[in-house]
Amino acid sequence: MRLTLHIWRQKAPTARGGKGDFEKYEVNDVSEHMSFLEMLDVLNERLETEGKDPIAFEHDCREGICGSCGFVINGSAHGPVPRTTVCQLHMRSFKDGDELVLEPWRARAFPILRDLIVDRSSFDRIIQAGGYVSTNTGSAPEANSVPVTKDSADRAMDAAACIGCGACVAMCPNASASLFTAAKVAHLNLLPQGQPERLIRTEKMVLQMDAEGFGHCTNHGDCSAVCPKGISVINIAQMNREYIEATLFSSPREGDTGDGA
Amino acid sequence: MSLPPNKIPTGPIDKAWTDRKFSMKLVNPANRRKYTVIVVGSGLAGASAAASLGELGYNVHCFCFQDSPRRAHSIAAQGGINAAKNYQNDGDSVYRLFYDTVKGGDFRAREANVYRLAEVSVNIIDQAVAQGVPFAREYGGLLANRSFGGAQVSRTFYARGQTGQQLLLGAYSALERQIAKGTVKMHPRTEMLDLVVVDGRARGIVVRDLTTGAISSYVADAVCLGTGGYGNAFYLSTNAKGCNVTAAWRASKRGAYFANPCFTQIHPTCIPVAGSYQSKLTLMSESLRNDGRVWVPKDPANCGKHPSEIAEADRDYYLERKYPSFGNLSPRDIASRAAKEACDDGRGVGPMVEGVRRGVYLDFADAIQRIGKAAVAEKYGNLFEMYQRITGEDPYEVPMRMYPAVHYTMGGLWVDYQLQSTIPGLFVIGEANFSDHGANRLGASALMQGLADGYFVLPFTLADYLAGVKPDGMATTHSAFRAVEGEVVAKNDKLLSIRGKRTVDSFHRELGLLMWDKCGMARTEEGLDEALQRIPALREEFWQNVTVSGSGAELNQSLEKAGRVADFLEFGEVMCLDARTRAESCGGHFRTEFQDEGEAKRNDAEYSHVSAWQYTGVGNAPVLHKEALEFNYVHPVTRSYK
Ligand SMILES: Cc1cc2nc3c(=O)[nH]c(=O)nc-3n(C[C@H](O)[C@H](O)[C@H](O)COP(=O)(O)OP(=O)(O)OC[C@H]3O[C@@H](n4cnc5c(N)ncnc54)[C@H](O)[C@@H]3O)c2cc1C
Ligand code: FES
């Protein structure tokens, strides 16, 4: 099949004043068995042999699990197929003559680095604020000494399946990171191991999310609809409840609740 | 320099690690922050090491090339992690896990290392659970297990089909906690391009900031590499696209010996190649073989038919036929070779790619009948979905098509029992070292090894080393750092200046195809000789005709790839030379000349050793050093899974 692509090209990072624009590319001989990124590989090889800069896009595992890849195709994060990262999207989802617009995630907290690549380090800082159980190596009790109900384990796993790609932020009209943050809060708060730090974790992670410049959640639900792992919006409601509880019963301190290092 | 002593403890193997831990030196808690340690890599090995060292109070710098440490390739591991907990009361023990791993490795691993691995395996599960890793559970709330290839007990812990993801997120959260505390400084999007050795000791690294392109150096009292495996030497593999040999190879060029480079693992169940644009291969977890049955048509004439049209009597369930006691759960090397044989025999299935059908069926019809579609979906649903997304076929209706693909590299930098390479102060952990899996790795044991090294071995052995050296305030202004930085800049400049006609990927594909043909599932002396002729020629062409666009002072993915492929073009030669030199078949290394009706024929009299290669210059023959292997507990026998 033949496709026309309009791709966001930006050489310098936004943080250093870089500006970008769309450029048009025609690609022929696209096989329906190719993945979307393989289609871009073929285009990039052509650009390189012509001495032009290839299109920069992030990717690594190409199996839908590392969360590296992601850009917006015709207004939809990761493209048209639900529950599918762009690295797992195949060209059989498109048809001859399609015109596609490819642009990076757009959010204040995700400044563009180049072309379709954005800086998502704000996600790491949200985890640093409390997305862990304070347990040093070597201090763990025997694994089966704390039973976990299958239901809690399963629900924790549902939330822990988040790959941190950022599609939720890209699709949220407020560029909120609530789904990402809530998924990590839920994963840990659902387990007995996460209980001692339940409230302080929630409070600190929510505050960090705000500090990074993400917007607030106003219940649109677009985040969950585009999430390649189907993380549920229920997690956000739960996080909000726990946040209120936390602001009533705890006050965030400097450092964390674990022992100092 | 001949190989340094391997520092394996003497005395009974079940006491060896405990005794060694007691005899090693410690660093006083108040002194730890005076020591700087560099950890390159944030996979299971690197993240667990960096977090644990941070908790202990060392001043740690951790590096990865991805945008976040959470994206290291370990994230992709699906099936599970082994541990000798014996929760299923089915006869498992530390000794049995040790035994299975030594045998599974076809008697080419060190007994003492493997024993230690089995011993600490139980602590890993405890640690992960405490971090909140949501392993699968039974209704009673206790941990569930499943079985994996090469074992007759059920000792594999798992988190759906995302075990690596969950274990890595556990290690990553511990790492982020230390970053917040300031004990670890994280450097994402930063690639190590060289090792700096001063007065015979590893003292730091030279890196490139992948966003700005800036080249700079970091000094430390010790350097630890957890940089993963080199499966992408074959271009197509199940590894993430960024996996590479650069850190390990450049360390090797600075004096670290490379051990058993030809020991690579081919995984039997991957989605077959669909076309020439293919950029990577997707693994389907080995756990599928618990319920899926592998078959091909008995008669090549039936290969083009729809599987439903092939009668039961006309199918060859070749693993069940050849290996009745392990059947579909035979170890990876054996299952892979059997698939290749069936296809070479003209009995492969699926579309013709370049004139051959390369695929075998993995069929769930019986399982669906036995336990129902819902139960199959509960166990494998996400894998079935993944398969369907990629191939467009529904495995509940049509059997999956599978073919072997490069998956894991047992070879790696040589390390002693303390995980120290031949360069003092350079430690190597996880897939990047060579030590625990011999010539074949059993499923669910790489995650175990990475975390064992990082959480429970390195923190002790590194302290023992650091206790013997004094922080000396060395700075990156030292001439040794300046010199190496200069070499790194010159190499990148050279890559950017060629402006030839062929893309980096086209060279990588050509090398990969050559490696797969000549140094893949079956190797011959003749084929390896041919590869040893062709690789240097390809390398020469690369340095004259490659095109790398852009500049060094910006985010430049072509330049990143070019540096990695340049290294594969040197390293591939050592892989082939190692395969050529090891004139026996063992585990994943199958030399066609040495077999008993298709089964690998080991030659213990001549090859019961580790081959450690010393670099002597590009294109020059490396020097081979041998470390003899001793088996005092598990007596080498012909590995039989019949
Ligand atoms: C698809 C798949 C499924 C698997 N499933 C299983 C399984 O079920 N069970 C099992 O036990 N094993 C499994 N394995 C194997 C296992 O996942 C790996 O062997 C293991 O995770 C490797 O961990 P590591 O920490 O050594 O390296 P990696 O996770 O590969 O991490 C390497 C790190 O080094 C960094 N790095 C590399 N080079 C540089 C450089 N030059 N500069 C800076 N940073 C660098 C990377 O950024 C990364 O952080 C699987 C492997 C694959 C491919
Ligand atoms: S490249 Fe890893 S999720 Fe897409």
Side-chain angles (χ1 to χ4, degrees):
Chain A
M1 65 181 99
R2 274 178 80 105
L3 298 172
T4 307
L5 307 175
H6 301 271
I7 305 179
W8 185 262
R9 302 301 312 256
Q10 176 171 335
K11 221 167 141 66
T14 306
R16 275 187 267 136
K19 298 238 179 320
D21 206 349
F22 287 101
E23 246 175 74
K24 185 173 162 188
Y25 301 90
E26 303 283 346
V27 278
N28 308 323
D29 300 329
V30 177
S31 148
E32 57 163 5
H33 296 298
M34 281 178 174
S35 73
F36 200 91
L37 299 189
E38 283 168 347
M39 182 272 294
L40 288 182
D41 289 343
V42 171
L43 170 60
N44 272 345
E45 286 213 59
R46 190 183 88 199
L47 294 176
E48 282 173 292
T49 38
E50 289 166 2
K52 298 185 184 136
D53 284 347
I55 298 137
F57 61 89
E58 201 128 46
H59 66 100
D60 199 20
C61 75
R62 297 202 175 191
E63 287 191 7
I65 191 74
C66 73
S68 294
C69 68
F71 43 81
V72 175
I73 305 174
N74 285 359
S76 189
H78 290 298
V81 181
R83 299 275 207 128
T84 303
T85 53
V86 71
C87 62
Q88 293 227 291
L89 179 65
H90 278 67
M91 297 314 292
R92 65 180 75 88
S93 303
F94 300 91
K95 56 181 195 318
D96 190 39
D98 274 356
E99 231 172 294
L100 307 176
V101 180
L102 276 53
E103 53 189 322
W105 295 161
R106 302 226 189 247
R108 187 149 60 97
F110 285 170
I112 296 170
L113 292 176
R114 183 170 189 140
D115 300 344
L116 303 173
I117 300 182
V118 299
D119 176 354
R120 291 170 291 194
S121 55
S122 44
F123 271 9
D124 288 325
R125 291 188 292 274
I126 292 175
I127 300 297
Q128 280 160 34
Y132 46 76
V133 173
S134 294
T135 169
N136 282 356
T137 303
S139 62
E142 210 301 314
N144 259 349
S145 64
V146 185
V148 180
T149 63
K150 188 170 184 313
D151 180 55
S152 304
D154 283 348
R155 286 193 300 142
M157 181 64 220
D158 289 342
C162 167
I163 57 174
C165 63
C168 48
V169 174
M171 282 298 101
C172 174
N174 311 326
S176 169
S178 288
L179 192 66
F180 168 80
T181 310
K184 184 48 63 183
V185 165
H187 158 211
L188 296 174
N189 287 8
L190 277 163
L191 295 170
Q193 288 80 8
Q195 293 315 304
E197 297 165 290
R198 183 173 65 92
L199 295 183
I200 191 153
R201 163 182 309 119
T202 312
E203 185 171 4
K204 289 172 86 177
M205 289 178 72
V206 169
L207 291 176
Q208 188 62 36
M209 174 175 88
D210 291 346
E212 294 291 345
F214 290 105
H216 286 273
C217 171
T218 49
N219 298 317
H220 286 266
D222 295 347
C223 51
S224 182
V226 296
C227 173
K229 299 295 145 179
I231 306 288
S232 163
V233 279
I234 291 173
N235 293 309
I236 301 182
Q238 182 64 26
M239 176 175 78
N240 289 341
R241 268 198 298 280
E242 296 193 337
Y243 179 70
I244 292 170
E245 198 186 329
T247 48
L248 292 175
F249 297 113
S250 93
S251 58
R253 289 168 294 264
E254 285 305 304
D256 71 10
T257 51
D259 57 328
Chain B
M1 183 184 77
S2 60
L3 266 183
N6 58 21
K7 301 200 184 131
I8 290 178
T10 50
I13 200 162
D14 55 340
K15 302 267 179 338
W17 177 232
T18 309
D19 290 350
R20 174 58 57 86
K21 276 194 286 188
F22 184 69
S23 67
M24 281 188 291
K25 288 182 282 223
L26 302 172
V27 178
N28 176 320
N31 285 337
R32 289 183 198 147
R33 68 189 156 73
K34 297 178 191 154
Y35 288 98
T36 299
V37 179
I38 285 173
V39 177
V40 188
S42 66
L44 287 178
S48 60
S52 303
L53 295 170
E55 289 163 8
L56 286 165
Y58 297 103
N59 176 30
V60 181
H61 286 265
C62 183
F63 297 80
C64 71
F65 63 73
Q66 291 91 348
D67 68 321
S68 163
R70 67 179 287 154
R71 305 199 204 283
H73 168 58
S74 294
I75 200 94
Q78 303 173 350
I81 176 166
N82 285 331
K85 285 281 197 188
N86 192 31
Y87 284 160
Q88 305 307 322
N89 195 30
D90 56 0
D92 201 10
S93 61
V94 167
Y95 199 89
R96 185 173 298 280
L97 175 53
F98 155 68
Y99 174 91
D100 286 349
T101 308
V102 171
K103 177 186 167 196
D106 214 357
F107 304 94
R108 290 294 173 263
R110 284 190 199 133
E111 280 191 327
N113 284 62
V114 177
Y115 196 92
R116 174 174 67 189
L117 176 64
E119 197 176 323
V120 303
S121 68
V122 295
N123 306 117
I124 296 171
I125 303 302
D126 298 345
Q127 188 62 36
V129 167
Q131 290 166 346
V133 170
F135 283 125
R137 303 231 165 213
E138 305 289 356
Y139 281 101
L142 302 182
L143 292 157
N145 289 115
R146 62 169 137 209
S147 24
F148 243 56
Q152 286 173 312
V153 293
S154 195
R155 62 159 77 98
T156 304
F157 295 78
Y158 61 101
R160 295 201 186 134
Q162 291 123 274
T163 317
Q165 177 194 32
Q166 295 309 316
L167 289 168
L168 183 61
L169 292 182
Y172 158 78
S173 68
L175 177 64
E176 292 296 330
R177 175 169 165 252
Q178 293 310 308
I179 295 169
K181 285 187 171 190
T183 59
V184 180
K185 170 93 181 89
M186 187 70 217
H187 305 268
R189 291 194 197 274
T190 308
E191 185 170 25
M192 164 181 166
L193 292 180
D194 218 326
L195 179 76
V196 182
V197 180
V198 183
D199 298 331
R201 279 176 56 203
R203 288 308 305 270
I205 60 174
V206 172
V207 301
R208 179 165 181 272
D209 178 326
L210 299 182
T211 316
T212 63
I215 304 282
S216 64
S217 298
Y218 289 84
V219 188
D221 298 287
V223 176
C224 177
L225 301 184
T227 45
Y230 50 85
N232 282 347
F234 294 88
Y235 186 69
L236 286 182
S237 83
T238 64
N239 291 5
K241 290 292 284 178
C243 291
N244 65 85
V245 76
T246 290
W249 181 241
R250 296 193 185 178
S252 188
K253 293 173 84 167
R254 299 280 170 198
Y257 296 178
F258 214 107
N260 299 336
C262 82
F263 285 172
T264 47
Q265 176 163 80
I266 316 281
H267 195 291
T269 51
C270 304
I271 301 178
V273 175
S276 58
Y277 49 80
Q278 188 98 23
S279 61
K280 75 155 278 165
L281 294 168
T282 302
L283 171 89
M284 288 280 115
S285 169
E286 175 158 301
S287 62
L288 290 169
R289 289 198 277 142
N290 273 306
D291 288 296
R293 298 179 68 196
V294 179
W295 64 275
V296 291
K298 285 182 179 163
D299 183 352
N302 284 336
C303 288
K305 286 191 185 157
H306 190 273
S308 64
E309 289 165 16
I310 304 172
E312 194 57 32
D314 295 328
R315 301 175 175 191
D316 178 12
Y317 295 91
Y318 57 87
L319 286 176
E320 296 170 28
R321 171 171 60 79
K322 289 165 83 167
Y323 308 101
S325 65
F326 280 69
N328 293 298
L329 281 177
S330 300
R332 293 178 174 174
D333 52 340
I334 288 177
S336 293
R337 252 178 338 256
K340 176 176 172 5
E341 245 169 58
C343 298
D344 288 350
D345 225 20
R347 298 189 296 142
V349 296
M352 292 265 190
V353 177
E354 281 150 27
V356 204
R357 293 181 208 275
R358 298 224 165 264
V360 301
Y361 288 124
L362 181 64
D363 195 336
F364 288 85
D366 284 357
I368 291 172
Q369 228 174 27
R370 185 163 37 88
I371 57 175
K373 187 172 167 179
V376 170
E378 155 94 21
K379 279 180 156 170
Y380 309 114
N382 59 336
L383 295 170
F384 277 37
E385 270 174 40
M386 174 156 34
Y387 181 85
Q388 185 161 13
R389 251 196 308 268
I390 294 172
T391 61
E393 290 171 3
D394 177 4
Y396 293 104
E397 302 295 328
V398 194
M400 289 182 169
R401 285 176 295 107
M402 292 287 140
Y403 198 67
V406 173
H407 177 55
Y408 180 87
T409 51
M410 283 76 70
L413 290 177
W414 185 90
V415 288
D416 61 18
Y417 185 74
Q418 306 286 100
L419 302 180
Q420 186 171 230
S421 72
T422 50
I423 302 176
L426 178 69
F427 291 76
V428 191
I429 57 178
E431 191 172 340
N433 75 23
F434 88 103
S435 68
D436 296 358
H437 307 294
N440 172 56
R441 175 176 72 78
L442 290 183
S445 59
L447 302 183
M448 170 171 74
Q449 185 225 332
L451 291 176
D453 289 357
Y455 285 135
F456 298 112
V457 180
L458 185 79
F460 294 92
T461 60
L462 187 71
D464 186 56
Y465 171 78
L466 291 175
V469 299
K470 279 212 168 53
D472 56 5
M474 182 179 286
T476 53
T477 44
H478 188 287
S479 60
F481 283 85
R482 296 265 77 88
V484 176
E485 273 180 30
E487 288 174 41
V488 167
V489 170
K491 182 164 187 164
N492 280 352
D493 286 351
K494 170 88 191 138
L495 286 168
L496 288 160
S497 69
I498 301 166
R499 307 276 163 185
K501 296 210 160 53
R502 279 184 71 180
T503 62
V504 175
D505 278 342
S506 87
F507 282 102
H508 196 178
R509 267 196 301 270
E510 185 174 343
L511 174 71
L513 211 57
L514 182 62
M515 296 297 293
W516 178 242
D517 274 354
K518 309 295 175 195
C519 198
M521 260 190 289
R523 303 153 173 190
T524 63
E525 185 174 316
E526 206 188 347
L528 290 162
D529 281 340
E530 188 188 326
L532 286 166
Q533 292 282 320
R534 281 170 58 190
I535 295 171
L538 187 63
R539 185 170 61 227
E540 204 157 301
E541 190 193 340
F542 174 88
W543 283 104
Q544 311 216 317
N545 197 23
V546 75
T547 174
V548 182
S549 44
S551 77
E554 61 184 331
L555 194 159
N556 186 340
Q557 293 176 316
S558 307
L559 180 61
E560 294 166 31
K561 276 196 285 196
R564 294 172 193 163
V565 172
D567 290 331
F568 281 134
L569 283 165
E570 292 174 11
F571 176 68
E573 204 177 344
V574 188
M575 289 174 72
C576 293
L577 183 64
D578 187 42
R580 165 82 168 70
T581 311
R582 189 171 280 277
E584 65 162 350
S585 294
C586 56
H589 169 63
F590 192 74
R591 281 280 300 268
T592 312
E593 307 95 317
F594 307 100
Q595 56 172 312
D596 263 337
E597 292 168 27
E599 304 301 326
K601 200 163 150 200
R602 260 192 358 252
N603 178 349
D604 290 335
E606 286 176 85
Y607 293 98
S608 186
H609 61 245
V610 175
S611 301
W613 296 91
Q614 178 184 7
Y615 176 82
T616 58
V618 181
N620 293 353
V623 177
L624 174 62
H625 301 273
K626 296 177 186 172
E627 176 195 337
L629 290 166
E630 278 175 46
F631 294 91
N632 298 315
Y633 295 86
V634 189
H635 192 66
V637 288
T638 301
R639 215 162 129 243
S640 166
Y641 292 91
K642 287 196 167 156

